Amino acid sequence: MSRDYDNGWRQYVPVAERRRRAMKSMAGRDTSPVEIDGRKIATTFWGGAWCKNLESYSDFANRLPRGRTYVRNGSVIDLQIESTEVRALVSGSEVYSVAIAIKRLPKKRWTQIIGQCAGQIGSLVELLQGSLSAGVMTIVTDKQGGLFPSPREISLRCSCPDWASMCKHVAAALYGVGARLDHDPELLFTLRGVDPSELVEAAIPQPVAAGKASKRRVLDADALSSIFGVDIDAGATASKKKTASKKKTAAKKKTASKKKTASKKARHPTGG
């Protein structure tokens, strides 16, 4: 009989020992465990908003407390967030596999969010840090029209024998997403299958004239590249326009030179 059983009953194994065994079984694999520092699962705007959204739905209420306990004690030994999908390994009496599918944000809703946020975000750094106005916070966290998924947009699956779709392992993985957003808030956009640069471009006011306004936009684009991990070449358009202007000026000079030469020949015809 297994060392974890005594007279047919499963023996209690301390959480730390279960976690040690789980991590040992993962040796050699590329894992990304969720580590919580202190009692609070999420401390930033994006992470906190994710957790608050989960807790606002009665569908999840009964199972979330155990999930909080599991994520706090380090039971989520691997968490991967990709486009419309979350995959996790959670340590319990065994190591269970969790798969969470989240629907892509509807195009119509994303377009509405972009339009509503246009011109209301002070800078790209503020966007990711969550230093947003109350108006923008209301837009992105709205239960019907915001960035965060509702229960009907989430499909849950776990390899454990629990009959409930929202078992404690799934709940731990969902809270793990909130903790991960503290460090990588752009993953929320990845998860919902939308391009964050579209929101950023709408948030940056279009410059009325060249000069300082144009320079400020270039600096904001550089900040976006470093924070969001996307390449935005704000100077490319200006460079193309400058090249086109040079070509146009050269063409005008060439045409004027030809006309001047023709005029001289007309005034001083050569003999035949």
Side-chain angles (χ1 to χ4, degrees):
M1 183 174 290
S2 169
R3 60 179 177 174
D4 289 342
Y5 287 85
D6 183 19
N7 295 325
W9 296 94
R10 185 183 292 272
Q11 292 181 339
Y12 171 74
V13 180
V15 172
E17 175 61 18
R18 292 205 307 263
R19 186 168 60 248
R20 186 192 68 78
R21 293 181 188 179
M23 293 303 297
K24 185 178 180 180
S25 70
M26 296 293 109
R29 295 178 58 175
D30 185 17
T31 58
S32 181
V34 175
E35 299 176 349
I36 306 297
D37 186 14
R39 293 289 298 171
K40 202 165 185 179
I41 295 172
T43 58
T44 68
F45 166 74
W46 293 109
W50 172 273
C51 295
K52 187 175 181 180
N53 180 69
L54 288 178
E55 294 165 355
S56 69
Y57 294 104
S58 58
D59 310 53
F60 298 156
N62 294 334
R63 292 294 178 138
L64 290 178
R66 292 296 302 277
R68 286 195 292 269
T69 298
Y70 265 56
V71 76
R72 285 192 185 111
N73 65 27
S75 293
V76 182
I77 59 176
D78 184 44
L79 182 74
Q80 305 294 333
I81 301 175
E82 300 173 359
S83 178
T84 69
E85 181 184 21
V86 176
R87 290 177 290 104
L89 294 175
V90 182
S91 171
S93 52
E94 299 177 14
V95 176
Y96 298 109
S97 298
V98 172
I100 303 169
I102 297 180
K103 290 183 179 179
R104 188 179 301 273
L105 193 70
K107 187 175 181 179
K108 182 179 179 180
R109 197 200 305 182
W110 178 234
T111 301
Q112 290 175 340
I113 292 173
I114 291 173
Q116 291 171 329
C117 290
Q120 295 194 57
I121 300 174
S123 73
L124 302 174
V125 175
E126 288 178 5
L127 173 64
L128 283 189
Q129 288 181 340
S131 301
L132 307 172
S133 68
V136 173
M137 286 184 181
T138 300
I139 292 168
V140 299
T141 60
D142 183 78
K143 290 178 71 172
Q144 300 300 322
L147 286 171
F148 300 93
S150 64
R152 67 177 179 273
E153 295 177 304
I154 306 175
S155 298
L156 312 170
R157 183 165 53 84
C158 181
S159 62
C160 76
D162 193 333
W163 59 268
S165 58
M166 171 64 83
C167 64
K168 56 196 174 188
H169 312 107
V170 167
L174 286 170
Y175 272 116
V177 173
R180 189 61 52 82
L181 292 182
D182 267 3
H183 306 286
D184 297 301
E186 68 273 21
L187 286 175
L188 174 62
F189 298 91
T190 299
L191 185 58
R192 296 315 314 268
V194 294
D195 183 357
S197 66
E198 294 176 0
L199 183 60
V200 174
E201 288 166 4
I204 302 174
Q206 298 297 319
V208 177
K212 291 184 178 180
S214 177
K215 184 178 181 181
R216 184 184 64 226
R217 187 169 184 183
V218 171
L219 291 174
D220 282 346
D222 289 339
L224 174 63
S225 297
S226 63
I227 296 172
F228 272 115
V230 295
D231 294 325
I232 293 181
D233 189 358
T237 301
S239 178
K240 289 179 180 178
K241 288 182 177 179
K242 190 173 180 181
T243 301
S245 178
K246 287 183 178 180
K247 289 182 178 179
K248 189 174 181 180
T249 302
K252 285 183 177 180
K253 288 182 178 180
K254 189 174 181 180
T255 301
S257 178
K258 287 182 178 180
K259 288 182 178 180
K260 188 175 181 180
T261 302
S263 178
K264 285 183 178 180
K265 288 182 178 180
R267 290 197 302 269
H268 305 287
T270 57

